[in-house]
Amino acid sequence: MIVGVHPLAGFDKLLHYKVPERLRDQVEVGALVRVPVVNRILLGIVAEFGEPTDFPVERLKPLTDVVYPFPALRPDLLRLAKWMAAYYACGLDAIIETMLPAAVRNAAGIKQERQLVLAQPLPEDELARLEKRAPAQARLHRFLAQQFKPQKKSLVLSRLKITAGVVAGLVKRGVVREELHRVERVAYHDDWATGEVVPALPHLLNGEQRAAADALSASLAAQKFGVTLLHGVTGSGKTEVYLHAIHEALQAGGGVIFLVPEVALTPQTVARLRGRLEAIAPGHKCVVWHSHLSEGERFDGWLALATGEARVVVGARSAIFAPVHDLRLIVVDEEHEPAYKQDESPRYHGRDVAVMRAKLADGLCLLGSATPSLESFANAASGKYEILRMTKRIDDRQLPHIDVVDMRVEIMRQRGFTVLSRKLVDAMHARFERREQSILFINRRGYSSSMQCRQCGHVEECPHCSVTMTYHRKDETLRCHLCGHERSAPNRCPACSAPDIRWKGSGTQRIEEAVMRVLPRARIERMDADTMGQKNRFRQVLAEFRAGKIDVLIGTQMIGKGLDFPNVTLVGLVDADLSMHVPDFRANERTFQLLVQVAGRAGRGDRAGEVVVQTFSPQAEVIQFSRHADFDGFAEHELGMRRAFHYPPFRHLIHHLFRGPNPEKLKFFAEQWARLVEKELGERVELRGPSPSPIEKIKDQYRYQLWYFTNAPITGIVADLTRLRAGFTWPEDVVQVIDVDPVSLC
Ligand code: ADP
Ligand code: ZN
C-alpha cells in the first residue's frame, strides 16, 4: 500500500510513502500523518493512494505514524485547499496549516489519563491466596471490584498507597486492564457570550421572514449547491431567519457553519444562536470558534466536530475550515465586512471561500447583510445568486430619521473647530433627560488624532513608516500604529518651532471629553481598540449598557456590529468624512455601509430613533443615498461608476507588493518585472504601476506596488504569474506579496 502525502511546514510538494502493515487500517485520504523528509520527521496530509510515476517504489520509505485514526482534513476541505492554493497564489502547505489549528497539528490538545478496570475478577479462592502472598494486589482487586467505572490510575495509587509495580503485577496476569481515556476539558460553549442573556425561544415569523424562510427551506431541501443573498434592512430580523434555516439543516441531519465578522464583537449573535439551539434542538453542541480560545479548548472543539459529535460551529473567518460533517448550510452574517479578508498569508476572503466550500459540499451558502457588498449584489443581479429581500423592520418599526449636519456652517456658527454640533448636543441632552441612551460613533482610530502645526501645517510622521503618528493624550505621546514607534509629544513644531502645534481631528478620547463637558452628569463609556483588547471589559461594558447603567457609549464603528439595544434612540456619527476621503475605489461603498449600519443601531425598540451625521461634504451622493437607506439607488449609481472605470466587480484585481531596504533597487526590479508581465500577459491583464505604495516605508522597508486588472479566470492568471516569477531573478532582499481580490487599497 502506497500513499501520496502533502507535507506541511514549508514543503510544497507531494511525496510518496509505503504504509506499514500495522497502520493500514488507520490510513485514509485526509489523515494527518508523520513522515520522514530528508532527515526530519514532518507532519503531512494523505492526499491519495497510489504509486508515484517518477520514483522507484522499492526506494520509498515507510510513513512513521498516524496522528488521528480519522481524516483530519475531510475530502471537501482537501479539495478546497487545492482551490485556495491555486486562487490565492499560495503554497498548499500554508493553506493546510491555516485549516488545521496548531493545537491539532501538534496533537498537544489531547488530554488523556490512564485508568484502571477490573478485567477478569479472580475467583474467591485465588483471591484468598493473593491476600496472603501479595496483600497490596489484593487490596487493589477489592477496590476495583467495588467501582462501577474505570478509575484514574494516579488517584488509585495515592488512595490505596500502592506502587505502579503492584498494578503491573495484576495487569500482567490479565486481571486488571489499564486504559487510556481522553478527558474532556471544557464545555463546548465557552463563556464568551454568556454575559448577554437573550431570550431563546423562536419568534413567530412575520410575512417577509416567512417568505425568506420558506425559500431557504426549498433550497435546503434540494440538497445541491446554491448561494442566496438575504438583503434585509437593519432590524428586519435576518438573524431570526438564519436561525430558522440552521434548525432545518440540523433536523435534516446536516452540519452548519455560521460565520460572523468577529466573535468578540458579536456576542449577541453568538448568544442568540446558542440560546436558540438549546431551546429548539436540545442536545446539539455548538462549538464556538474564536481567537481567544486556549489550545486545549480549540482542540476539543475541533475534535467534537471532526468526530461528528458536534454539528454546528459559530465563529469568525477561520471557522470556515471547521471539520463539519455533512455540511448543508453555511451562513455568512454581515457578508460585506472587510474583516472576512485575512490580511496576512494566505490572504483569503472568508465569504468567497464559504461559497466555494458550499459548492464542494453541495450545500447552501446564505449571505446576509443590510448593505450587501457590490460583488455579491452584482452576482445576485446577474442571476448567479438567488436574492431574498426584507424591506421592513420588525413590527413595522420606522427606520430612523437621519439628520445631516453641515460642519462647515457649524464651524462658522461656533466660531472655530468643534467636534460636536449644536444639533447633536441638543439631541443628547434630550435623551439624557428622558433616560434614553445614545451611541456616538467615530471613524477608525488613529486616522484623525494626528498632531498638526497650525502655523506651517507640519504633521508628525513615523520615521520608519511614513504614516502620521497618532496622538495619545493620556500619556502625552505620539505613536505609530504600524510599528509601535513612540515618542513624547512635542511642545513646539519640529519644523518651524512655532508653539502652535496641536492635535487635530477627533479621537475617541477627545469626543469623550467633549461629551463630558456638555453632559457633566451623564455616565459615559468609551470603547475603542485600546479597551477592546480586554475581552471581559468589552462584555462588561455591553452588559452595563444593556442594563441602562450607561447613558452615552462612544466607540469606533468596530463595536457597532450587530448591536441590538432597544433603549438606544440616538446615534451620532461624528466624522462621516474620514472614510470618504481615502484613495480607494471602495471609499463610497464603505461610507454607505458605515452610515447605514451605524444608523441601524437606533430605534430598535418601540420608540423611534434619530441619527445625526456630521460631515463637511453634505452634498456628497453617498450621504444622500444613505440618508434614505436607498441601497438600490446607491448600488445602481456606484455600479455605474465601477463599470465605467472597469473596477471590481466588473474585473478582478490583484495587488502585487515588493518591499526591500533599497528604494532604487526595488524600483528597478519592479519595473523589469512589470515589463515582463506586460509582454507575456498583456493581452489578458491590464497593469497599473509600478509605483510607490501609499505607505512608502514600513519598518525601514520601502514598498512598491503593481496592480493587475483582469477579466480572465484568476487561477489561470495566478498560475502564469507563478511561472513567470520562478523564471525571474529576484535580488535576495526583495520580498513580494501577492494579494488576490484585495479589500483595502491603502
Ligand atoms: P437584523 O439581524 O436584521 O438586524 P434581528 O434578527 O437582530 O435583525 O432582529 C431585530 C430584533 O427583532 C431582535 O431583537 C429580534 O429578537 C426581534 N425579532 C426578530 N424577528 C422577530 C419576530 N418575528 N417577532 C418579534 N420579534 C422579532
Ligand atoms: Zn512606524
Side-chain angles (χ1 to χ4, degrees):
M1 189 196 263
I2 290 166
V3 287
V5 173
H6 279 296
L8 307 186
F11 210 97
D12 192 14
K13 196 166 178 251
L14 191 70
L15 302 174
H16 286 80
Y17 295 91
K18 289 188 197 138
V19 181
E21 193 64 48
R22 69 188 162 92
L23 297 177
R24 290 220 166 150
D25 52 352
Q26 294 181 40
V27 172
E28 287 176 75
V29 170
L32 185 66
V33 294
R34 290 195 183 85
V35 290
V37 179
V38 195
N39 45 20
R40 284 187 300 165
I41 301 287
L42 297 183
L43 284 171
I45 290 286
V46 175
E48 58 184 43
F49 285 90
E51 301 181 357
T53 49
D54 54 355
F55 199 84
V57 173
E58 321 78 68
R59 284 176 47 205
L60 292 179
K61 292 187 207 154
L63 57 81
T64 313
D65 200 5
V66 179
V67 184
Y68 305 111
F70 52 83
L73 270 197
R74 314 186 59 72
D76 62 326
L77 279 174
L78 197 55
R79 277 155 69 205
L80 187 68
K82 288 181 183 159
W83 172 80
M84 286 177 68
Y87 190 94
Y88 290 109
C90 190
L92 192 58
D93 56 328
I95 305 274
I96 294 176
E97 285 189 16
T98 305
M99 288 183 162
L100 291 178
V104 173
R105 277 182 274 134
N106 304 337
I110 302 185
K111 195 171 161 217
Q112 288 176 322
E113 65 182 31
R114 292 191 176 278
Q115 298 178 345
L116 302 177
V117 275
L118 200 57
Q120 190 93 65
L122 293 170
E124 273 309 320
D125 51 334
E126 273 196 54
L127 193 56
R129 246 173 294 156
L130 192 65
E131 205 75 73
K132 291 201 201 84
R133 200 169 44 78
Q137 285 190 2
R139 210 156 66 240
L140 175 62
H141 188 286
R142 252 184 278 120
F143 174 77
L144 289 177
Q146 288 161 5
Q147 309 305 322
F148 295 105
K149 55 182 195 350
Q151 296 295 304
K152 187 171 172 182
K153 183 177 175 186
S154 57
L155 285 184
V156 174
L157 295 187
S158 63
R159 187 161 162 194
L160 302 184
K161 300 195 177 60
I162 55 177
T163 62
V166 175
V167 177
L170 284 185
V171 168
K172 212 157 142 204
R173 288 177 66 185
V175 177
V176 166
R177 193 168 59 235
E178 234 182 77
E179 296 173 344
L180 208 52
H181 283 271
R182 191 168 78 83
V183 230
E184 220 158 275
R185 185 179 0 240
V186 284
Y188 297 102
H189 311 321
D190 113 299
D191 67 336
W192 240 112
T194 46
E196 298 269 308
V197 184
V198 179
L201 280 170
H203 293 285
L204 203 59
L205 299 184
N206 68 23
E208 285 189 333
Q209 286 175 316
R210 185 77 262 159
D214 287 347
L216 290 170
S217 303
S219 302
L220 280 171
Q223 290 203 38
K224 53 177 206 250
F225 168 59
V227 184
T228 301
L229 175 62
L230 177 60
H231 175 208
V233 299
T234 56
S236 57
K238 292 184 290 298
T239 313
E240 213 48 44
V241 174
Y242 304 150
L243 293 175
H244 218 269
I246 290 170
H247 187 199
E248 206 146 284
L250 287 175
Q251 272 185 327
V256 176
I257 298 176
F258 187 170
L259 295 186
V260 293
E262 199 173 327
V263 172
L265 298 175
T266 43
Q268 284 186 327
T269 309
V270 175
R272 262 167 86 183
L273 172 64
R274 293 181 28 208
R276 183 63 51 82
L277 285 180
E278 263 157 35
I280 59 181
H284 276 297
K285 281 178 178 165
C286 173
V287 173
V288 181
W289 194 266
H290 58 73
S291 54
H292 290 277
L293 294 180
S294 71
E295 285 239 312
E297 289 167 330
R298 187 179 296 280
F299 181 84
D300 285 355
W302 181 87
L303 195 65
L305 293 164
T307 55
E309 196 186 332
R311 287 197 274 134
V312 195
V313 59
V314 54
R317 191 170 59 220
S318 65
I320 194 56
F321 304 126
V324 174
H325 288 212
D326 304 316
L327 188 60
R328 286 278 175 90
L329 174 67
I330 305 175
V331 178
V332 185
D333 190 20
E334 313 282 7
E335 65 88 25
H336 63 276
E337 270 294 333
Y340 281 120
K341 173 87 176 179
Q342 176 147 299
D343 59 7
E344 57 189 47
S345 178
R347 296 167 189 271
Y348 69 94
H349 197 300
R351 175 200 60 220
D352 299 344
V353 172
V355 169
M356 194 38 123
R357 182 152 188 209
K359 186 170 174 180
L360 295 173
D362 291 321
L364 176 65
C365 186
L366 172 58
L367 311 176
S369 177
T371 52
S373 64
L374 290 179
E375 281 81 359
S376 298
F377 189 70
N379 277 329
S382 72
K384 254 169 96 179
Y385 296 175
E386 181 184 16
I387 185 162
L388 303 171
R389 301 194 114 155
M390 302 202 297
T391 56
K392 292 199 282 287
R393 278 192 158 181
I394 291 297
D395 297 337
D396 281 324
R397 274 171 209 146
Q398 292 302 303
L399 279 168
H401 177 74
I402 299 188
D403 275 321
V404 176
V405 176
D406 186 344
M407 290 305 278
R408 295 169 307 183
V409 177
E410 197 66 24
I411 281 191
M412 284 197 305
R413 208 188 281 155
Q414 298 199 25
R415 296 209 183 82
F417 185 72
T418 167
V419 287
L420 300 177
S421 61
R422 198 66 251 160
K423 179 139 218 155
L424 188 51
V425 170
D426 289 347
M428 282 195 303
H429 260 297
R431 294 304 168 320
F432 183 60
E433 297 305 327
R434 294 207 298 265
R435 304 264 115 214
E436 292 170 9
Q437 293 170 299
S438 310
I439 303 182
L440 293 192
F441 287 104
I442 68 157
N443 255 313
R444 242 170 316 178
R445 163 182 105 135
Y447 250 127
S448 52
S449 35
S450 52
M451 217 165 188
Q452 189 172 34
C453 173
R454 305 217 166 173
Q455 295 287 330
C456 74
H458 172 83
V459 176
E460 273 293 274
E461 286 195 347
C462 171
H464 311 289
C465 302
S466 70
V467 293
T468 347
M469 307 266 280
T470 306
Y471 178 63
H472 289 254
R473 183 157 215 185
K474 206 160 135 209
D475 47 6
E476 290 282 323
T477 55
L478 294 176
R479 278 185 223 155
C480 169
H481 276 292
L482 291 176
C483 76
H485 177 76
E486 187 180 322
R487 56 165 296 190
S488 59
N491 300 321
R492 292 178 166 273
C493 172
C496 75
S497 306
D500 213 10
I501 183 158
R502 301 220 197 114
W503 57 326
K504 62 163 198 172
S506 37
T508 35
Q509 293 179 24
R510 185 165 183 193
I511 308 259
E512 184 181 20
E513 286 168 13
V515 175
M516 271 151 56
R517 272 198 301 280
V518 296
L519 286 178
R521 285 179 300 128
R523 290 152 305 174
I524 302 162
E525 268 296 340
R526 176 166 66 89
M527 294 209 289
D528 55 26
D530 292 330
T531 44
M532 245 172 43
Q534 310 149 276
K535 70 173 187 177
N536 290 328
R537 177 90 193 109
F538 182 78
R539 240 169 55 191
Q540 194 186 337
V541 170
L542 284 188
E544 282 175 11
F545 193 57
R546 173 170 297 284
K549 291 184 193 152
I550 296 168
D551 301 304
V552 183
L553 189 61
I554 303 169
T556 59
Q557 71 264 31
M558 288 285 290
I559 64 159
K561 288 171 193 160
L563 292 187
D564 183 26
F565 293 111
N567 198 34
V568 172
T569 57
L570 172 69
V571 164
L573 180 60
V574 179
D575 45 11
D577 305 79
L578 285 175
S579 55
M580 243 144 69
H581 307 311
V582 290
D584 186 333
F585 69 87
R586 287 198 184 87
N588 276 334
E589 184 178 357
R590 296 272 179 266
T591 307
F592 182 82
Q593 289 163 354
L594 167 67
L595 281 148
V596 172
Q597 294 288 347
V598 154
R601 302 309 122 212
R604 294 174 79 94
D606 21 316
R607 276 156 309 212
E610 183 185 357
V611 177
V612 177
V613 172
Q614 305 188 150
T615 172
F616 286 89
S617 332
Q619 75 294 349
E621 266 136 344
V622 57
I623 300 269
Q624 294 307 325
F625 284 123
S626 43
R627 215 174 150 173
H628 305 108
D630 180 6
F631 179 81
D632 288 355
F634 169 75
E636 193 185 322
H637 174 261
E638 191 62 21
L639 284 171
M641 307 274 283
R642 299 275 184 95
R643 187 179 285 116
F645 288 93
H646 305 292
Y647 278 137
F650 299 100
R651 283 198 295 184
H652 281 283
L653 194 52
I654 301 175
H655 183 237
H656 196 164
L657 179 84
F658 312 89
R659 60 167 198 261
N662 180 336
E664 284 82 38
K665 195 154 120 191
L666 203 59
K667 180 162 183 278
F668 176 78
F669 278 96
E671 280 168 358
Q672 293 286 324
W673 163 255
R675 231 166 277 145
L676 175 68
V677 177
E678 179 69 55
K679 183 166 132 260
E680 298 283 326
L681 309 179
E683 296 201 339
R684 288 179 294 150
V685 176
E686 184 201 329
L687 271 77
R688 296 199 191 159
S691 59
S693 299
I695 302 173
E696 285 182 39
K697 189 171 66 162
I698 294 183
K699 296 187 190 166
D700 294 319
Q701 295 277 305
Y702 289 84
R703 298 147 60 86
Y704 255 75
Q705 63 180 13
L706 189 57
W707 297 99
Y708 313 116
F709 288 77
T710 185
N711 263 327
I714 284 285
T715 45
I717 299 294
V718 164
D720 286 340
L721 287 174
T722 308
R723 180 175 50 79
L724 291 179
R725 251 196 326 175
F728 189 89
T729 333
W730 296 96
E732 257 178 26
D733 57 5
V734 172
V735 175
Q736 312 171 47
V737 179
I738 286 190
D739 188 355
V740 177
D741 301 333
V743 297
S744 160
L745 267 53
C746 38

